[in-house]
Amino acid sequence: MTNSDALKPAAELAEAASRPYPNDSAEYRAARKALLAEEIELRRHIERVAAQRRTLPAGGTVPEDYAFEDEDGKQVHLSSMFGDSDTLVVYTWMYGPQRERPCPMCTALLGGLDGTARDIAQRVPIAIVGRSTIERQMAFKTERGWRSLKMYSTAGNSYAEDYRGVGPDGEDWAALNVFVKDGETIRHFWGEEMGMETADPGQDPRGAPDLQPMWTIFDMTPEGRDPNWYPKLECGR
């Protein structure tokens, strides 16, 4: 982590980096410079939170070496999904057997992840798990043209129930979890815990940082996010 004592004030960095665009007014440039300082502070806060996350004490050991069904219909265990890594990222998407179609928000997120999955895998493996059969998940993967995500079915195990992929009434929940392996021991390192209970008034529930690039782009527009708007699986519906 960067030593905060060695950091230059954000306002000083903003002053040095600020460059006017064609026909900027003095009012716009002053406001933009102030915003730039806040953006620098936000970047620093994100780094502080990430550093705090890395210092978490050892999490709980997993109750069992869960058996999943992979894309070839073969049984694989959680321990084998690490490959040569000591870390594994698992995203549980909302596509349970009771759903006719997957969650549009999960679909939007996975679409972005599919484009970067090969790059992510250079540092850490990432697995996408769902409660539907692997056949249903693969059919939708083909429909969307996803190429790089590795999908697994939790059918037959309690992984989704144990790691916040199922709500109290049996409904699908999206869940992001990170696991670490030390020899034969697998521990839970971190899991997304922000949701409806932590949402601020007038905002849709989301984590921080937000994994969904779509919302980050919207945040940069004058309209911003619309908490009442969500993507659709098919345009026009």
Side-chain angles (χ1 to χ4, degrees):
M1 179 179 179
T2 303
N3 186 345
S4 59
D5 295 335
L7 297 176
K8 292 183 178 179
E12 180 180 333
L13 295 179
E15 179 68 36
S18 179
R19 299 287 188 277
Y21 291 101
N23 301 316
D24 270 0
S25 66
E27 180 184 20
Y28 178 90
R29 183 44 39 193
R32 182 64 186 94
K33 193 183 301 180
L35 175 61
L36 178 55
E38 291 298 322
E39 291 169 342
I40 293 168
E41 292 289 5
L42 174 60
R43 182 192 67 207
R44 290 175 173 177
H45 187 68
I46 290 172
E47 173 55 28
R48 288 196 296 272
V49 171
Q52 183 178 351
R53 186 182 296 114
R54 292 192 293 270
T55 63
L56 284 170
T61 57
V62 298
E64 61 181 281
D65 193 4
Y66 299 97
F68 299 83
E69 187 176 1
D70 70 8
E71 295 184 357
D72 296 321
K74 298 178 181 178
Q75 186 181 85
V76 296
H77 288 85
L78 183 70
S79 57
S80 68
M81 292 158 63
F82 283 78
D84 296 329
S85 176
D86 294 327
T87 305
L88 172 67
V89 177
V90 183
Y91 181 76
T92 306
W93 67 315
M94 297 167 62
Y95 192 18
Q98 78 281 11
R99 285 179 172 270
E100 181 180 349
R101 301 281 280 164
C103 165
M105 287 288 289
C106 290
T107 299
L109 173 62
L110 294 186
L113 283 178
D114 184 66
T116 57
R118 292 185 180 182
D119 303 300
I120 294 172
Q122 295 174 31
R123 290 289 307 274
V124 60
I126 181 168
I128 311 302
V129 305
R131 292 199 294 155
S132 280
T133 64
I134 195 63
E135 290 81 10
R136 291 189 80 206
Q137 295 185 66
M138 290 300 295
F140 191 76
K141 177 180 177 178
T142 300
E143 177 185 328
R144 299 297 286 198
W146 297 339
R147 300 172 54 192
S148 300
L149 294 175
K150 293 184 178 181
M151 313 198 85
Y152 303 84
S153 174
T154 68
N157 71 33
S158 63
Y159 172 84
E161 289 82 358
D162 294 342
Y163 288 97
R164 304 199 182 194
V166 181
D169 296 323
E171 70 275 21
D172 281 332
W173 277 4
L176 179 67
N177 289 283
V178 180
F179 298 91
V180 292
K181 185 169 67 170
D182 181 10
E184 299 298 317
T185 303
I186 301 175
R187 292 183 179 275
H188 185 251
F189 169 73
W190 176 87
E192 175 65 73
E193 297 188 17
M194 296 178 70
M196 295 297 297
E197 303 89 346
T198 60
D200 290 324
Q203 295 184 0
D204 62 299
R206 60 183 184 266
D210 199 326
L211 294 179
Q212 175 52 266
M214 174 178 67
W215 298 121
T216 303
I217 293 296
F218 292 161
D219 280 345
M220 296 176 182
T221 68
E223 296 83 8
R225 303 183 186 214
D226 181 350
N228 299 312
W229 178 90
Y230 291 95
K232 300 176 176 62
L233 293 182
E234 291 83 19
C235 294
R237 289 192 179 184

